[in-house]
Amino acid sequence: MLKNPLSTLAVRSQPFAALLKQASQIILGKDTEIRLAIACLLANGHLLIEDLPGMGKTTLAHTLARLLGLQFSRIQFTSDLLPADITGVSIFDRDKSEFRFLPGPVFAQLVLADEINRATPKTQSALLEAMEEGQVTAEGQTRNLPRPFFVIATQNPAHQIGTFPLPESQLDRFLMRIELGYPDRTAERALLAAGGQRRQLEQLAPMIEAADLPKLQQEVAATHASGPLIDYVQALVEATRQIPVFQHGLSPRAGLALLSAARAWAWLDGRDMVLPDDVQAVLPAVARHRLRSAQGGGYALAEDIAALIRSVAIP
């Protein structure tokens, strides 16, 4: 008897349901944001978290690293940080009479780029090649980064003192951008009663084998998207280029990002095909940082994305 492929996929994605439940006990009241972060990793993308200090951005990165068994590295971005502080430097080994390369903190499976917009644009750009190509070129030599390679960057709101806005070309390297926001009353009450979640964080054990993630990412990328579903994605992308509330529309690369994220969202549900609901679920996280509002030039508003979804018919 042939095995049901849907049930087989559901079994493979089941550990992520348990992982999401465990992570939700650390980052209280933010189930959707945690799932978006996991989907971003499975889609082989990178995540930008923008919010006020103290909202749990760093804790989320630590939680995912522990539960996924990933080698973790944190880079604290400051105004005096140099590109070599990220990529690494060569030092002269007197015993061997040769230069030896010391890898920088970017050589990790999960890299937390904390407060990325507090560094200068030159230093910010040191992550561009790493995020796009999975490699680093330093002192004329190209070195591959470990797999999986996942960057979680945190960013303070642009109105705060001492920030350098990320250019559009670098924002586009982030598959998703999310905000955690204030917790609801129940979650914040539980957080206050527990005195924080740091002690629980230290007790977390891996629930996924890190070595399995590249294979799972390939499986996610193969999740079926039908012709009508692709037509729907294309219609959404084209609509952003026509609606006057946006300064400019989404690029073809943004359309690919939207489809990749929707595939990961569907896979987490244990399905081997993408539905329009999956596209709608990830659209705000994929599109808002790529679209500029015609009024003021900031990120597209959440209500504008909601209006976009309503304006495009599902095939």
Side-chain angles (χ1 to χ4, degrees):
M1 179 180 295
L2 294 176
K3 293 183 178 179
N4 184 344
L6 292 180
S7 62
T8 302
L9 176 55
V11 169
R12 289 198 296 273
S13 62
Q14 187 175 6
F16 285 90
L19 187 151
L20 174 59
K21 183 177 180 180
Q22 181 67 58
S24 298
Q25 296 178 11
I26 305 297
I27 311 296
L28 302 176
K30 301 297 176 183
D31 292 7
T32 299
E33 289 77 9
I34 297 170
R35 178 168 170 159
L36 284 169
I38 295 172
C40 187
L41 169 62
L42 289 172
N44 203 19
H46 303 289
L47 178 67
L48 178 64
I49 310 176
E50 182 172 356
D51 220 320
L52 295 169
M55 292 294 189
K57 303 184 297 294
T58 303
T59 303
L60 175 58
H62 277 284
T63 299
L64 293 180
R66 285 182 175 271
L67 292 178
L68 294 167
L70 297 174
Q71 179 192 3
F72 178 79
S73 177
R74 175 178 176 175
I75 307 172
Q76 183 63 51
F77 279 68
T78 57
S79 59
D80 59 350
L81 191 74
L82 299 176
D85 296 329
I86 297 173
T87 59
V89 295
S90 292
I91 63 170
F92 187 72
D93 189 332
R94 291 185 178 181
D95 295 335
K96 297 182 178 181
S97 298
E98 63 183 18
F99 283 94
R100 179 165 55 91
F101 181 72
L102 294 180
V106 75
F107 286 86
Q109 292 174 316
L110 193 157
V111 176
L112 171 60
D114 211 4
E115 296 185 303
I116 188 173
N117 61 334
R118 291 201 179 277
T120 61
K122 181 178 180 180
T123 302
Q124 292 174 6
S125 66
L127 277 178
L128 276 177
E129 182 187 11
M131 294 170 62
E132 187 70 13
E133 306 294 342
Q135 64 185 29
V136 166
T137 301
E139 301 176 3
Q141 186 173 351
T142 299
R143 298 172 174 85
N144 292 326
L145 294 167
R147 294 189 64 199
F149 178 68
F150 185 37
V151 173
I152 297 180
T154 70
Q155 178 171 259
N156 295 321
H159 66 266
Q160 291 200 343
I161 297 173
T163 59
F164 298 86
L166 295 178
E168 285 79 0
S169 61
Q170 187 156 357
L171 281 172
D172 197 45
R173 263 61 179 189
F174 290 100
L175 180 70
M176 294 186 187
R177 170 190 168 274
I178 63 173
E179 301 171 0
L180 294 180
Y182 294 113
D184 60 35
R185 185 175 181 83
T186 301
E188 189 165 24
R189 177 67 174 81
L191 181 67
L192 292 171
Q197 305 300 100
R198 281 290 180 177
R199 285 174 294 179
Q200 292 188 42
L201 182 61
E202 294 171 357
Q203 299 171 359
L204 294 179
M207 302 180 68
I208 305 290
E209 291 289 338
D212 293 338
L213 283 173
K215 182 178 179 180
L216 293 177
Q217 288 173 332
Q218 292 178 0
E219 184 176 307
V220 167
T223 302
H224 179 65
S226 66
L229 189 283
I230 293 176
D231 290 340
Y232 180 56
V233 170
Q234 187 173 15
L236 285 168
V237 171
E238 289 177 343
T240 64
R241 302 166 187 170
Q242 300 166 359
I243 297 177
V245 297
F246 305 129
Q247 287 185 2
H248 51 75
L250 292 174
S251 69
R253 179 161 57 186
L256 291 170
L258 177 58
L259 193 54
S260 295
R263 283 188 166 109
W265 195 264
W267 189 91
L268 284 171
D269 266 345
R271 287 183 280 106
D272 66 348
M273 66 177 297
V274 185
L275 301 177
D277 287 350
D278 303 317
V279 177
Q280 295 176 2
V282 300
L283 180 60
V286 173
R288 281 193 63 196
H289 65 293
R290 292 179 165 92
L291 294 171
R292 293 285 174 179
S293 174
Q295 298 179 352
Y299 293 135
L301 301 177
E303 50 264 36
D304 291 335
I305 300 297
L308 168 66
I309 293 173
R310 292 193 300 268
S311 69
V312 177
I314 297 175

XYZ file of all heavy atoms in Angstrom, residues 43 175 220-221 223-226 229-230 233 253-265 274 278-279 282 286:
207
model
N 12.620 28.818 4.871
C 12.635 29.354 3.509
C 14.029 29.802 3.101
O 14.212 30.374 2.024
C 11.659 30.521 3.390
N 14.391 38.384 4.136
C 13.172 37.788 3.604
C 11.953 38.343 4.324
O 10.926 38.630 3.703
C 13.225 36.270 3.766
C 12.004 35.505 3.259
C 11.951 35.554 1.733
C 12.023 34.056 3.730
N 11.214 22.160 1.737
C 10.295 23.300 1.773
C 10.267 23.994 0.410
O 9.203 24.365 -0.108
C 10.705 24.282 2.876
C 9.966 25.611 2.724
C 10.425 23.689 4.253
N 11.446 24.164 -0.203
C 11.533 24.840 -1.498
C 10.811 24.069 -2.593
O 10.420 24.656 -3.617
C 12.991 25.045 -1.881
N 7.929 22.512 -2.109
C 6.491 22.498 -1.848
C 5.744 23.031 -3.074
O 6.096 24.077 -3.621
C 6.162 23.352 -0.607
O 6.879 22.843 0.511
C 4.674 23.303 -0.299
N 4.730 22.326 -3.489
C 4.063 22.617 -4.766
C 3.274 23.924 -4.714
O 2.517 24.182 -3.776
C 3.105 21.477 -5.127
C 2.354 21.703 -6.402
N 2.977 21.772 -7.634
C 1.017 21.896 -6.643
C 2.072 21.983 -8.567
N 0.877 22.067 -7.996
N 3.479 24.735 -5.736
C 2.676 25.940 -5.956
C 2.019 25.799 -7.325
O 2.720 25.754 -8.348
C 3.542 27.192 -5.889
N 0.718 25.716 -7.367
C -0.007 25.502 -8.612
C 0.047 26.743 -9.499
O 0.413 27.849 -9.051
C -1.461 25.154 -8.308
O -2.118 26.268 -7.719
N -2.094 29.526 -8.155
C -1.480 30.137 -6.976
C -0.397 31.114 -7.391
O -0.302 32.228 -6.850
C -0.927 29.035 -6.056
C -0.421 29.387 -4.646
C 0.930 30.034 -4.639
C -1.431 30.260 -3.916
N 0.406 30.732 -8.381
C 1.444 31.636 -8.882
C 0.802 32.863 -9.528
O 1.298 33.991 -9.389
C 2.373 30.896 -9.861
C 3.176 29.824 -9.103
C 3.323 31.871 -10.554
C 4.063 28.970 -9.990
N -0.011 35.215 -6.689
C 1.169 35.930 -6.212
C 1.541 37.042 -7.190
O 1.844 38.179 -6.791
C 2.351 34.951 -6.018
C 3.651 35.716 -5.748
C 2.065 33.981 -4.875
N 12.199 39.963 -7.359
C 12.820 39.228 -6.256
C 11.897 39.185 -5.043
O 11.855 38.183 -4.318
C 14.170 39.861 -5.877
C 14.848 39.142 -4.715
C 16.328 39.446 -4.624
N 16.621 40.853 -4.498
C 17.866 41.357 -4.514
N 18.898 40.553 -4.694
N 18.067 42.658 -4.393
N 11.151 40.249 -4.818
C 10.187 40.245 -3.721
C 9.092 39.220 -3.965
O 8.609 38.568 -3.030
C 9.589 41.639 -3.549
N 8.680 39.055 -5.232
C 7.694 38.031 -5.552
C 8.212 36.636 -5.252
O 7.474 35.787 -4.720
N 9.473 36.390 -5.566
C 10.080 35.097 -5.235
C 10.139 34.893 -3.729
O 9.908 33.789 -3.226
C 11.489 35.021 -5.836
C 11.577 34.926 -7.358
C 13.024 35.097 -7.819
C 11.028 33.589 -7.843
N 10.449 35.966 -3.003
C 10.506 35.883 -1.543
C 9.137 35.551 -0.966
O 9.011 34.744 -0.037
C 11.024 37.204 -0.970
N 8.104 36.169 -1.515
C 6.743 35.914 -1.046
C 6.365 34.455 -1.258
O 5.787 33.808 -0.370
C 5.770 36.831 -1.780
C 4.281 36.667 -1.464
C 4.014 36.871 0.018
C 3.460 37.654 -2.300
N 6.702 33.911 -2.400
C 6.381 32.518 -2.705
C 7.173 31.571 -1.811
O 6.645 30.561 -1.318
C 6.652 32.230 -4.176
C 6.101 30.927 -4.753
C 4.605 30.805 -4.503
C 6.402 30.841 -6.245
N 8.449 31.878 -1.571
C 9.280 31.035 -0.692
C 8.728 31.014 0.728
O 8.656 29.957 1.366
C 10.723 31.555 -0.678
O 11.323 31.436 -1.950
N 8.341 32.182 1.225
C 7.796 32.261 2.583
C 6.466 31.516 2.684
O 6.199 30.839 3.682
C 7.619 33.721 2.988
N 5.627 31.619 1.653
C 4.348 30.923 1.658
C 4.553 29.413 1.640
O 3.793 28.667 2.277
C 3.509 31.364 0.456
N 5.556 28.946 0.914
C 5.868 27.516 0.901
C 6.237 27.039 2.309
O 5.797 25.975 2.753
C 7.021 27.238 -0.066
C 6.624 27.239 -1.540
C 7.786 26.770 -2.405
N 7.344 26.439 -3.757
C 7.617 27.158 -4.839
N 8.337 28.278 -4.721
N 7.171 26.783 -6.030
N 7.048 27.817 3.008
C 7.447 27.432 4.363
C 6.245 27.422 5.301
O 6.122 26.545 6.168
C 8.518 28.398 4.881
N 5.357 28.388 5.159
C 4.152 28.463 6.008
C 3.268 27.245 5.784
O 2.737 26.659 6.738
C 3.402 29.752 5.701
C 2.374 30.130 6.719
C 1.036 29.862 6.684
C 2.592 30.859 7.938
N 0.415 30.375 7.800
C 1.342 30.997 8.583
C 3.729 31.415 8.535
C 1.193 31.658 9.804
C 3.584 32.080 9.740
C 2.336 32.198 10.364
N 0.821 24.934 -1.615
C 0.586 26.270 -1.075
C -0.835 26.710 -1.382
O -1.336 26.507 -2.498
C 1.588 27.281 -1.672
C 1.427 28.649 -1.010
C 3.012 26.780 -1.519
N -1.884 30.895 2.804
C -0.470 30.932 3.171
C 0.180 32.221 2.674
O 0.967 32.849 3.389
C 0.264 29.719 2.586
C -0.351 28.399 3.018
O -0.689 28.275 4.205
O -0.489 27.503 2.170
N -0.143 32.591 1.461
C 0.410 33.826 0.891
C -0.039 35.025 1.710
O 0.755 35.918 2.055
C -0.031 33.982 -0.581
C 0.480 35.301 -1.151
C 0.468 32.812 -1.417
N 1.818 35.457 5.184
C 3.210 35.935 5.220
C 3.403 37.260 4.503
O 4.463 37.886 4.641
C 4.163 34.883 4.608
C 4.081 33.572 5.380
C 3.865 34.640 3.128
N 6.698 39.951 4.587
C 7.568 39.959 3.414
C 7.551 41.311 2.709
O 8.573 41.759 2.182
C 7.150 38.836 2.430
C 7.929 38.937 1.121
C 7.370 37.466 3.054
